[in-house]
Coordinates of all heavy atoms in Angstrom, one line a residue:
M126 N 16.8 -37.9 -65.2 CA 16.2 -36.7 -64.6 C 16.8 -36.5 -63.2 O 17.0 -35.4 -62.8 CB 14.7 -36.8 -64.6 CG 14.0 -35.5 -64.2 SD 14.4 -34.2 -65.4 CE 13.4 -33.0 -64.8
I127 N 17.0 -37.6 -62.5 CA 17.5 -37.4 -61.1 C 18.9 -36.8 -61.1 O 19.2 -36.0 -60.3 CB 17.5 -38.8 -60.4 CG1 16.1 -39.3 -60.2 CG2 18.3 -38.7 -59.1 CD1 16.0 -40.7 -59.6
L128 N 19.7 -37.1 -62.1 CA 21.0 -36.6 -62.2 C 20.9 -35.0 -62.4 O 21.6 -34.3 -61.7 CB 21.8 -37.2 -63.3 CG 23.2 -36.7 -63.6 CD1 24.1 -37.0 -62.3 CD2 23.9 -37.4 -64.8
G129 N 20.0 -34.6 -63.2 CA 19.9 -33.1 -63.4 C 19.4 -32.5 -62.2 O 19.7 -31.3 -61.9
T130 N 18.5 -33.1 -61.4 CA 17.9 -32.5 -60.2 C 19.1 -32.4 -59.2 O 19.2 -31.4 -58.4 CB 16.8 -33.4 -59.6 OG1 15.8 -33.5 -60.6 CG2 16.2 -32.8 -58.4
T131 N 19.9 -33.4 -59.1 CA 21.0 -33.4 -58.2 C 22.0 -32.2 -58.5 O 22.4 -31.5 -57.6 CB 21.8 -34.7 -58.2 OG1 20.9 -35.8 -57.8 CG2 23.0 -34.7 -57.2
K132 N 22.3 -32.1 -59.8 CA 23.2 -31.0 -60.3 C 22.6 -29.6 -59.9 O 23.3 -28.8 -59.4 CB 23.3 -31.1 -61.8 CG 24.0 -30.0 -62.5 CD 25.5 -30.1 -62.3 CE 26.2 -29.0 -63.2 NZ 27.6 -29.0 -62.9
M133 N 21.2 -29.5 -60.0 CA 20.6 -28.2 -59.7 C 20.7 -28.0 -58.2 O 20.9 -26.9 -57.7 CB 19.1 -28.2 -60.2 CG 18.4 -26.9 -59.9 SD 16.7 -27.0 -60.4 CE 16.9 -27.0 -62.1
A134 N 20.4 -29.1 -57.4 CA 20.5 -28.9 -56.0 C 21.9 -28.5 -55.5 O 22.1 -27.7 -54.6 CB 20.1 -30.2 -55.3
N135 N 22.9 -29.1 -56.2 CA 24.3 -28.8 -55.8 C 24.6 -27.4 -56.2 O 25.3 -26.7 -55.5 CB 25.3 -29.7 -56.6 CG 25.3 -31.1 -55.9 OD1 24.9 -31.3 -54.8 ND2 25.9 -32.0 -56.7
Q136 N 24.1 -26.9 -57.4 CA 24.4 -25.5 -57.7 C 23.7 -24.5 -56.8 O 24.2 -23.5 -56.5 CB 24.0 -25.3 -59.2 CG 25.0 -25.8 -60.2 CD 24.7 -25.5 -61.6 OE1 23.6 -25.7 -62.1 NE2 25.7 -24.9 -62.3
E137 N 22.5 -24.9 -56.4 CA 21.8 -24.0 -55.4 C 22.6 -23.9 -54.1 O 22.7 -22.9 -53.5 CB 20.4 -24.5 -55.2 CG 19.4 -24.3 -56.4 CD 18.1 -24.9 -56.2 OE1 17.8 -25.5 -55.2 OE2 17.3 -24.9 -57.2
A138 N 23.1 -25.1 -53.7 CA 23.9 -25.1 -52.4 C 25.1 -24.3 -52.6 O 25.5 -23.5 -51.7 CB 24.2 -26.5 -52.0
A139 N 25.8 -24.3 -53.8 CA 26.9 -23.5 -54.1 C 26.6 -22.0 -54.0 O 27.4 -21.2 -53.5 CB 27.6 -24.0 -55.4
E140 N 25.5 -21.7 -54.6 CA 25.0 -20.3 -54.6 C 24.8 -19.8 -53.2 O 25.2 -18.7 -52.8 CB 23.8 -20.1 -55.4 CG 23.9 -20.3 -56.9 CD 22.6 -20.2 -57.6 OE1 21.5 -19.9 -57.0 OE2 22.6 -20.5 -58.8
I141 N 24.2 -20.6 -52.3 CA 24.0 -20.3 -50.9 C 25.4 -20.1 -50.2 O 25.6 -19.1 -49.4 CB 23.2 -21.3 -50.2 CG1 21.8 -21.3 -50.8 CG2 23.2 -21.2 -48.7 CD1 20.9 -22.5 -50.3
Q142 N 26.3 -20.9 -50.5 CA 27.7 -20.8 -49.9 C 28.3 -19.5 -50.3 O 28.9 -18.8 -49.5 CB 28.6 -22.0 -50.3 CG 28.2 -23.3 -49.7 CD 29.1 -24.4 -50.1 OE1 30.0 -24.3 -50.9 NE2 28.9 -25.6 -49.5
I143 N 28.2 -19.1 -51.6 CA 28.8 -17.9 -52.0 C 28.1 -16.7 -51.3 O 28.7 -15.7 -50.9 CB 28.7 -17.8 -53.6 CG1 29.7 -18.8 -54.2 CG2 29.1 -16.4 -54.0 CD1 29.5 -18.9 -55.7
S144 N 26.8 -16.8 -51.2 CA 26.0 -15.7 -50.5 C 26.5 -15.6 -49.1 O 26.6 -14.5 -48.5 CB 24.5 -16.0 -50.6 OG 24.0 -15.9 -51.9
E145 N 26.7 -16.7 -48.4 CA 27.1 -16.7 -47.0 C 28.5 -16.1 -46.9 O 28.8 -15.3 -46.0 CB 27.1 -18.1 -46.4 CG 25.7 -18.7 -46.2 CD 25.7 -20.1 -45.9 OE1 26.7 -20.8 -46.0 OE2 24.6 -20.6 -45.4
L146 N 29.4 -16.4 -47.8 CA 30.7 -15.8 -47.8 C 30.6 -14.3 -48.1 O 31.3 -13.5 -47.4 CB 31.6 -16.4 -48.9 CG 32.0 -17.9 -48.6 CD1 32.7 -18.5 -49.8 CD2 33.0 -17.9 -47.4
D147 N 29.7 -13.9 -49.0 CA 29.5 -12.4 -49.2 C 29.0 -11.7 -47.9 O 29.5 -10.6 -47.6 CB 28.6 -12.2 -50.4 CG 29.2 -12.6 -51.7 OD1 30.4 -12.6 -51.8 OD2 28.4 -12.7 -52.7
L148 N 28.1 -12.4 -47.2 CA 27.6 -11.8 -46.0 C 28.7 -11.7 -45.0 O 28.8 -10.7 -44.3 CB 26.4 -12.7 -45.5 CG 25.8 -12.3 -44.1 CD1 25.2 -10.9 -44.3 CD2 24.8 -13.3 -43.7
L149 N 29.5 -12.8 -44.8 CA 30.5 -12.7 -43.8 C 31.6 -11.6 -44.2 O 32.1 -10.8 -43.3 CB 31.3 -14.0 -43.7 CG 30.5 -15.1 -42.9 CD1 31.2 -16.5 -43.1 CD2 30.5 -14.8 -41.5
S150 N 31.8 -11.5 -45.4 CA 32.8 -10.5 -45.9 C 32.2 -9.0 -45.6 O 33.0 -8.1 -45.3 CB 33.0 -10.6 -47.4 OG 33.9 -9.6 -47.9
S151 N 30.9 -8.9 -45.7 CA 30.4 -7.5 -45.4 C 30.3 -7.3 -43.9 O 30.4 -6.1 -43.4 CB 29.0 -7.4 -46.0 OG 28.0 -8.2 -45.4
M152 N 30.1 -8.4 -43.1 CA 30.0 -8.2 -41.7 C 31.5 -8.0 -41.1 O 31.6 -7.3 -40.1 CB 29.4 -9.5 -41.0 CG 28.0 -9.7 -41.3 SD 27.4 -11.3 -40.8 CE 27.7 -11.1 -39.0
F153 N 32.5 -8.6 -41.7 CA 33.8 -8.5 -41.3 C 34.7 -8.0 -42.4 O 35.4 -8.9 -43.1 CB 34.3 -9.9 -40.7 CG 33.5 -10.4 -39.6 CD1 32.5 -11.4 -39.9 CD2 33.6 -10.0 -38.3 CE1 31.7 -11.9 -38.9 CE2 32.8 -10.4 -37.3 CZ 31.8 -11.4 -37.6
P154 N 34.7 -6.7 -42.7 CA 35.3 -6.3 -44.0 C 36.9 -6.3 -44.0 O 37.5 -6.1 -45.0 CB 34.8 -4.8 -44.1 CG 34.5 -4.4 -42.7 CD 34.0 -5.7 -42.0
Y155 N 37.5 -6.4 -42.8 CA 38.9 -6.3 -42.8 C 39.5 -7.7 -42.8 O 39.1 -8.7 -42.2 CB 39.4 -5.6 -41.5 CG 38.9 -4.2 -41.4 CD1 37.8 -4.0 -40.4 CD2 39.3 -3.2 -42.2 CE1 37.3 -2.7 -40.3 CE2 38.8 -1.9 -42.1 CZ 37.8 -1.7 -41.2 OH 37.2 -0.4 -41.1
E156 N 40.7 -7.8 -43.6 CA 41.3 -9.1 -43.8 C 41.7 -9.8 -42.5 O 41.7 -11.0 -42.5 CB 42.4 -9.0 -44.8 CG 42.9 -10.3 -45.3 CD 43.9 -10.2 -46.5 OE1 43.8 -9.3 -47.3 OE2 44.9 -11.0 -46.5
E157 N 42.1 -9.0 -41.5 CA 42.5 -9.6 -40.3 C 41.3 -10.2 -39.5 O 41.5 -10.9 -38.6 CB 43.3 -8.6 -39.4 CG 42.5 -7.4 -39.0 CD 42.7 -6.2 -39.9 OE1 43.3 -6.4 -41.0 OE2 42.1 -5.2 -39.6
E158 N 40.1 -9.9 -39.9 CA 38.9 -10.5 -39.3 C 38.4 -11.7 -40.1 O 38.0 -12.6 -39.5 CB 37.8 -9.4 -39.3 CG 38.0 -8.2 -38.4 CD 37.0 -7.2 -38.5 OE1 36.5 -6.9 -39.6 OE2 36.6 -6.6 -37.4
F159 N 38.3 -11.5 -41.4 CA 37.7 -12.6 -42.2 C 38.5 -12.7 -43.5 O 38.8 -11.7 -44.2 CB 36.3 -12.3 -42.6 CG 35.7 -13.2 -43.6 CD1 35.3 -14.5 -43.2 CD2 35.5 -12.8 -44.9 CE1 34.7 -15.3 -44.2 CE2 35.0 -13.6 -45.8 CZ 34.6 -14.9 -45.5
A160 N 38.9 -14.0 -43.8 CA 39.7 -14.2 -45.0 C 39.4 -15.6 -45.5 O 39.4 -16.5 -44.8 CB 41.2 -14.0 -44.8
V161 N 39.2 -15.7 -46.8 CA 39.1 -17.0 -47.5 C 40.5 -17.5 -47.7 O 41.3 -16.7 -48.3 CB 38.3 -16.9 -48.9 CG1 38.3 -18.2 -49.6 CG2 36.9 -16.4 -48.6
T162 N 40.8 -18.6 -47.2 CA 42.2 -19.1 -47.2 C 42.6 -19.7 -48.6 O 43.8 -19.8 -48.8 CB 42.4 -20.1 -46.1 OG1 41.5 -21.3 -46.3 CG2 42.2 -19.5 -44.8
D163 N 41.7 -20.1 -49.4 CA 42.0 -20.6 -50.7 C 41.2 -20.0 -51.8 O 40.1 -20.4 -52.1 CB 41.8 -22.2 -50.7 CG 42.3 -22.9 -51.9 OD1 42.6 -22.2 -52.9 OD2 42.2 -24.1 -52.0
Q164 N 41.8 -19.0 -52.4 CA 41.1 -18.2 -53.4 C 40.8 -19.0 -54.6 O 39.8 -18.8 -55.3 CB 41.9 -16.9 -53.8 CG 42.0 -15.9 -52.7 CD 40.6 -15.3 -52.4 OE1 39.8 -15.1 -53.2 NE2 40.3 -15.1 -51.1
L165 N 41.6 -20.0 -55.0 CA 41.3 -20.9 -56.1 C 40.1 -21.7 -55.9 O 39.2 -21.9 -56.8 CB 42.5 -21.8 -56.3 CG 42.4 -22.8 -57.5 CD1 42.1 -22.0 -58.8 CD2 43.6 -23.7 -57.7
A166 N 39.9 -22.2 -54.6 CA 38.7 -23.0 -54.3 C 37.4 -22.1 -54.5 O 36.4 -22.6 -55.0 CB 38.8 -23.5 -52.9
L167 N 37.5 -20.9 -54.0 CA 36.4 -19.9 -54.2 C 36.1 -19.7 -55.7 O 35.0 -19.7 -56.1 CB 36.7 -18.6 -53.5 CG 35.6 -17.5 -53.6 CD1 34.3 -18.0 -53.1 CD2 36.1 -16.3 -52.8
A168 N 37.2 -19.5 -56.5 CA 37.0 -19.3 -57.9 C 36.3 -20.5 -58.6 O 35.5 -20.3 -59.4 CB 38.3 -19.0 -58.5
E169 N 36.7 -21.7 -58.2 CA 36.1 -22.9 -58.7 C 34.6 -23.0 -58.4 O 33.8 -23.4 -59.2 CB 36.8 -24.1 -58.2 CG 38.2 -24.4 -58.8 CD 38.9 -25.6 -58.2 OE1 38.4 -26.2 -57.2 OE2 40.0 -25.9 -58.7
L170 N 34.3 -22.6 -57.2 CA 32.9 -22.6 -56.7 C 32.1 -21.6 -57.5 O 31.0 -21.9 -58.0 CB 32.8 -22.3 -55.2 CG 31.5 -22.4 -54.6 CD1 31.0 -23.9 -54.6 CD2 31.5 -21.9 -53.1
K171 N 32.6 -20.4 -57.7 CA 31.9 -19.4 -58.5 C 31.8 -19.9 -59.9 O 30.7 -19.7 -60.5 CB 32.7 -18.1 -58.4 CG 32.5 -17.4 -57.1 CD 33.2 -16.1 -57.1 CE 33.0 -15.4 -55.7 NZ 33.7 -14.1 -55.6
Y172 N 32.8 -20.5 -60.5 CA 32.7 -21.0 -61.9 C 31.7 -22.0 -62.0 O 30.9 -22.1 -63.0 CB 34.1 -21.5 -62.3 CG 34.1 -22.0 -63.7 CD1 34.2 -21.2 -64.8 CD2 34.0 -23.4 -64.0 CE1 34.3 -21.6 -66.1 CE2 34.0 -23.9 -65.3 CZ 34.2 -23.0 -66.4 OH 34.1 -23.4 -67.6
Y173 N 31.6 -22.9 -61.0 CA 30.6 -24.0 -61.0 C 29.2 -23.4 -61.0 O 28.3 -23.9 -61.7 CB 30.8 -24.9 -59.7 CG 29.8 -25.9 -59.5 CD1 29.7 -27.0 -60.4 CD2 28.9 -25.8 -58.5 CE1 28.7 -28.0 -60.2 CE2 27.9 -26.8 -58.3 CZ 27.9 -27.9 -59.2 OH 26.9 -28.8 -59.0
V174 N 28.9 -22.3 -60.2 CA 27.6 -21.7 -60.2 C 27.3 -21.0 -61.5 O 26.1 -21.1 -62.0 CB 27.5 -20.7 -59.0 CG1 26.3 -19.8 -59.1 CG2 27.6 -21.4 -57.7
E175 N 28.3 -20.4 -62.1 CA 28.0 -19.6 -63.3 C 28.0 -20.5 -64.6 O 27.5 -20.0 -65.6 CB 29.1 -18.6 -63.5 CG 29.1 -17.5 -62.4 CD 30.3 -16.7 -62.3 OE1 31.2 -16.9 -63.2 OE2 30.4 -15.8 -61.5
N176 N 28.4 -21.7 -64.6 CA 28.5 -22.5 -65.8 C 27.8 -23.9 -65.6 O 28.3 -24.7 -64.8 CB 30.0 -22.8 -66.2 CG 30.6 -21.5 -66.5 OD1 30.4 -21.0 -67.6 ND2 31.4 -21.0 -65.6
E177 N 26.7 -24.1 -66.3 CA 25.9 -25.3 -66.1 C 26.7 -26.6 -66.5 O 26.4 -27.6 -65.9 CB 24.7 -25.2 -67.0 CG 23.6 -24.2 -66.5 CD 22.4 -24.3 -67.3 OE1 22.1 -25.3 -68.0 OE2 21.7 -23.3 -67.3
S178 N 27.7 -26.5 -67.3 CA 28.4 -27.7 -67.8 C 29.6 -27.9 -66.9 O 30.3 -28.9 -67.1 CB 28.9 -27.5 -69.2 OG 29.7 -26.4 -69.3
A179 N 29.8 -27.1 -65.9 CA 31.1 -27.3 -65.0 C 30.9 -28.4 -64.1 O 29.8 -28.8 -63.7 CB 31.3 -26.0 -64.2
E180 N 32.0 -29.0 -63.8 CA 32.0 -30.2 -62.8 C 32.0 -29.6 -61.4 O 32.4 -28.5 -61.1 CB 33.3 -31.0 -63.0 CG 33.5 -31.7 -64.4 CD 32.5 -32.8 -64.5 OE1 32.2 -33.5 -63.5 OE2 31.9 -32.9 -65.6
V181 N 31.5 -30.5 -60.5 CA 31.5 -30.1 -59.1 C 32.9 -29.8 -58.7 O 33.8 -30.6 -59.0 CB 30.9 -31.3 -58.3 CG1 31.0 -30.9 -56.8 CG2 29.5 -31.5 -58.7
P182 N 33.2 -28.7 -58.0 CA 34.6 -28.4 -57.5 C 35.2 -29.5 -56.7 O 34.5 -30.1 -55.8 CB 34.4 -27.1 -56.7 CG 33.1 -26.6 -57.1 CD 32.2 -27.7 -57.6
S183 N 36.4 -29.8 -56.9 CA 37.1 -30.8 -56.1 C 37.6 -30.3 -54.8 O 37.8 -31.0 -53.8 CB 38.3 -31.4 -56.9 OG 39.2 -30.4 -57.2
S184 N 37.9 -29.0 -54.7 CA 38.4 -28.4 -53.5 C 37.3 -27.8 -52.6 O 36.2 -27.4 -53.2 CB 39.5 -27.4 -53.8 OG 39.0 -26.4 -54.7
K185 N 37.5 -27.6 -51.4 CA 36.5 -27.0 -50.4 C 37.0 -25.6 -50.0 O 38.2 -25.4 -49.8 CB 36.4 -27.9 -49.2 CG 36.0 -29.3 -49.4 CD 34.6 -29.5 -49.8 CE 34.3 -31.0 -50.0 NZ 33.1 -31.2 -50.7
V186 N 36.0 -24.7 -50.0 CA 36.3 -23.4 -49.6 C 36.5 -23.3 -48.1 O 35.6 -23.9 -47.4 CB 35.2 -22.4 -50.0 CG1 35.5 -21.0 -49.5 CG2 35.0 -22.4 -51.5
Q187 N 37.6 -22.8 -47.6 CA 37.8 -22.6 -46.2 C 38.0 -21.1 -45.9 O 38.5 -20.4 -46.8 CB 39.0 -23.5 -45.7 CG 38.8 -24.9 -45.9 CD 39.9 -25.7 -45.3 OE1 40.9 -25.2 -44.8 NE2 39.8 -27.0 -45.3
F188 N 37.7 -20.7 -44.7 CA 38.0 -19.4 -44.3 C 38.4 -19.2 -42.9 O 38.2 -20.2 -42.1 CB 36.7 -18.5 -44.6 CG 35.5 -18.9 -43.8 CD1 35.3 -18.4 -42.5 CD2 34.6 -19.8 -44.3 CE1 34.2 -18.8 -41.8 CE2 33.5 -20.2 -43.6 CZ 33.3 -19.7 -42.3
L189 N 39.0 -18.1 -42.6 CA 39.4 -17.7 -41.2 C 38.5 -16.7 -40.7 O 38.2 -15.7 -41.5 CB 40.8 -17.2 -41.1 CG 41.9 -18.2 -41.5 CD1 43.3 -17.4 -41.6 CD2 42.1 -19.3 -40.5
L190 N 38.0 -16.8 -39.5 CA 37.2 -15.7 -38.9 C 37.8 -15.4 -37.5 O 37.9 -16.3 -36.7 CB 35.8 -16.2 -38.7 CG 34.7 -15.2 -38.1 CD1 34.7 -14.0 -39.0 CD2 33.4 -15.9 -38.0
N191 N 38.3 -14.3 -37.4 CA 39.0 -13.9 -36.2 C 38.2 -12.7 -35.5 O 38.2 -11.6 -36.0 CB 40.5 -13.4 -36.5 CG 41.3 -13.0 -35.3 OD1 40.9 -13.3 -34.2 ND2 42.4 -12.3 -35.5
I192 N 37.6 -13.0 -34.4 CA 36.7 -12.1 -33.7 C 37.4 -11.6 -32.5 O 37.8 -12.4 -31.6 CB 35.4 -12.7 -33.4 CG1 34.7 -13.2 -34.6 CG2 34.5 -11.7 -32.6 CD1 33.5 -14.0 -34.4
K193 N 37.6 -10.3 -32.3 CA 38.2 -9.7 -31.1 C 37.1 -9.4 -30.1 O 36.1 -8.8 -30.4 CB 39.0 -8.5 -31.5 CG 40.2 -8.8 -32.4 CD 41.0 -7.5 -32.7 CE 42.1 -7.9 -33.6 NZ 42.9 -6.9 -33.9
T194 N 37.3 -9.9 -28.9 CA 36.3 -9.7 -27.9 C 36.5 -8.3 -27.3 O 37.6 -7.7 -27.3 CB 36.5 -10.8 -26.8 OG1 37.8 -10.7 -26.2 CG2 36.3 -12.2 -27.4
E195 N 35.4 -7.9 -26.6 CA 35.5 -6.6 -25.9 C 36.0 -6.7 -24.5 O 36.2 -5.7 -23.8 CB 34.0 -6.0 -25.9 CG 33.4 -5.7 -27.2 CD 34.1 -4.6 -27.9 OE1 34.5 -3.6 -27.3 OE2 34.3 -4.7 -29.2
V196 N 36.3 -8.0 -24.1 CA 36.7 -8.2 -22.7 C 38.2 -8.1 -22.7 O 38.9 -8.8 -23.5 CB 36.3 -9.6 -22.3 CG1 36.8 -10.0 -20.9 CG2 34.8 -9.8 -22.4
P197 N 38.8 -7.3 -21.8 CA 40.2 -7.1 -21.6 C 40.8 -8.5 -21.3 O 40.2 -9.3 -20.5 CB 40.4 -6.1 -20.6 CG 39.1 -5.4 -20.4 CD 38.1 -6.4 -20.9
N198 N 42.0 -8.8 -21.8 CA 42.8 -10.0 -21.5 C 42.1 -11.3 -21.9 O 42.4 -12.3 -21.4 CB 43.1 -10.0 -20.0 CG 44.0 -8.8 -19.6 OD1 44.8 -8.4 -20.3 ND2 43.7 -8.3 -18.4
A199 N 41.1 -11.2 -22.7 CA 40.4 -12.4 -23.2 C 41.2 -13.0 -24.3 O 41.9 -12.4 -25.0 CB 39.0 -12.1 -23.7
S200 N 41.2 -14.3 -24.4 CA 41.8 -15.0 -25.5 C 41.1 -14.8 -26.8 O 39.9 -14.7 -26.8 CB 41.9 -16.5 -25.2 OG 42.6 -16.8 -24.0
T201 N 41.9 -14.8 -27.9 CA 41.3 -14.6 -29.2 C 41.1 -16.1 -29.8 O 42.0 -16.9 -29.7 CB 42.2 -13.8 -30.1 OG1 42.3 -12.5 -29.6 CG2 41.6 -13.7 -31.5
V202 N 40.0 -16.3 -30.3 CA 39.7 -17.6 -30.9 C 39.7 -17.5 -32.4 O 39.0 -16.6 -32.9 CB 38.3 -18.2 -30.4 CG1 38.0 -19.5 -31.1 CG2 38.4 -18.3 -28.9
I203 N 40.4 -18.3 -33.1 CA 40.4 -18.2 -34.6 C 39.7 -19.5 -35.0 O 40.1 -20.6 -34.6 CB 41.9 -18.2 -35.1 CG1 42.6 -16.9 -34.7 CG2 41.9 -18.4 -36.6 CD1 44.0 -16.9 -35.1
V204 N 38.7 -19.3 -35.9 CA 37.9 -20.4 -36.4 C 38.3 -20.7 -37.9 O 38.3 -19.7 -38.7 CB 36.4 -20.1 -36.3 CG1 35.6 -21.2 -36.9 CG2 36.0 -19.8 -34.9
I205 N 38.7 -21.9 -38.2 CA 38.9 -22.3 -39.6 C 37.8 -23.3 -39.9 O 37.7 -24.3 -39.3 CB 40.3 -23.0 -39.7 CG1 41.4 -22.0 -39.3 CG2 40.5 -23.4 -41.2 CD1 42.8 -22.6 -39.3
K206 N 36.9 -22.8 -40.8 CA 35.7 -23.6 -41.1 C 35.7 -23.9 -42.6 O 35.5 -23.0 -43.4 CB 34.5 -22.8 -40.7 CG 33.2 -23.4 -41.0 CD 32.9 -24.6 -40.2 CE 31.5 -25.1 -40.4 NZ 31.3 -26.1 -41.3
P207 N 35.7 -25.2 -42.9 CA 35.4 -25.5 -44.3 C 34.0 -25.4 -44.6 O 33.1 -25.8 -43.7 CB 36.0 -26.9 -44.5 CG 35.9 -27.5 -43.1 CD 36.1 -26.3 -42.2
L208 N 33.5 -24.9 -45.7 CA 32.1 -24.9 -46.0 C 31.8 -26.2 -46.6 O 32.5 -26.9 -47.3 CB 31.9 -23.8 -47.1 CG 31.9 -22.4 -46.7 CD1 31.7 -21.5 -47.9 CD2 30.8 -22.1 -45.7
S209 N 30.6 -26.7 -46.2 CA 30.1 -27.9 -46.8 C 28.6 -27.7 -47.0 O 28.0 -26.8 -46.5 CB 30.3 -29.1 -45.8 OG 29.6 -28.9 -44.6
A210 N 28.1 -28.6 -47.8 CA 26.7 -28.6 -48.1 C 26.0 -29.9 -47.9 O 26.6 -30.9 -47.9 CB 26.5 -28.1 -49.6
D211 N 24.7 -29.9 -47.6 CA 24.0 -31.1 -47.5 C 23.9 -31.9 -48.8 O 23.7 -33.1 -48.7 CB 22.6 -30.8 -46.9 CG 22.7 -30.2 -45.5 OD1 23.6 -30.5 -44.8 OD2 21.7 -29.5 -45.2
S212 N 23.9 -31.2 -49.9 CA 23.8 -31.8 -51.2 C 25.1 -32.5 -51.6 O 25.9 -32.0 -52.4 CB 23.4 -30.8 -52.2 OG 22.1 -30.2 -51.8
S213 N 25.3 -33.7 -51.1 CA 26.5 -34.5 -51.5 C 27.8 -33.8 -51.2 O 28.8 -34.0 -52.0 CB 26.3 -34.9 -53.0 OG 25.1 -35.6 -53.2
E214 N 27.9 -33.0 -50.3 CA 29.1 -32.3 -49.9 C 29.8 -31.5 -51.0 O 31.0 -31.3 -51.0 CB 30.1 -33.3 -49.3 CG 29.7 -33.8 -47.9 CD 29.9 -32.8 -46.9 OE1 30.9 -32.1 -46.9 OE2 29.0 -32.6 -46.0
L215 N 29.0 -31.1 -52.0 CA 29.6 -30.4 -53.2 C 31.0 -30.9 -53.4 O 31.9 -30.3 -53.8 CB 29.5 -28.9 -52.9 CG 28.2 -28.2 -53.3 CD1 28.3 -26.7 -53.1 CD2 27.8 -28.5 -54.7

């Protein structure tokens, strides 16, 4: 039963990650602002959520977030952040 509970927790964490990516995508709709760098990793994560028998994805979803500041001559910071979950790092 513990194995099933862990699988459910991992799937819930994966669903949260997809929701967070959807939220970022709606907040930053242009590709130069927000982009998932590995579409295959995202597809694996979505497949994992949609299929109970699927294995935990081996790849990690990463994305770029490029925010332009309102301050003239300010440096642009590019963040590359891999998504991770508390539930055994999916």
Side-chain angles (χ1 to χ4, degrees):
M126 186 64 171
I127 293 174
L128 182 59
T130 304
T131 302
K132 173 79 170 171
M133 183 181 292
N135 285 344
Q136 282 188 306
E137 288 174 2
E140 287 175 9
I141 290 169
Q142 289 180 354
I143 291 170
S144 294
E145 290 172 345
L146 288 168
D147 289 342
L148 177 63
L149 284 168
S150 180
S151 67
M152 291 172 62
F153 304 100
Y155 302 108
E156 193 170 323
E157 61 270 5
E158 295 175 318
F159 171 76
V161 174
T162 58
D163 186 350
Q164 291 296 319
L165 180 59
L167 179 58
E169 288 177 352
L170 187 65
K171 287 181 178 180
Y172 181 80
Y173 175 70
V174 167
E175 295 168 358
N176 297 283
E177 289 184 19
S178 62
E180 295 292 321
V181 174
S183 59
S184 54
K185 304 289 183 192
V186 176
Q187 296 185 358
F188 62 87
L189 295 172
L190 183 60
N191 184 13
I192 302 171
K193 295 184 181 181
T194 61
E195 298 291 324
V196 180
N198 300 324
S200 297
T201 301
V202 177
I203 298 176
V204 178
I205 301 175
K206 172 76 171 96
L208 286 177
S209 63
D211 294 334
S212 299
S213 304
E214 287 291 316
L215 274 183

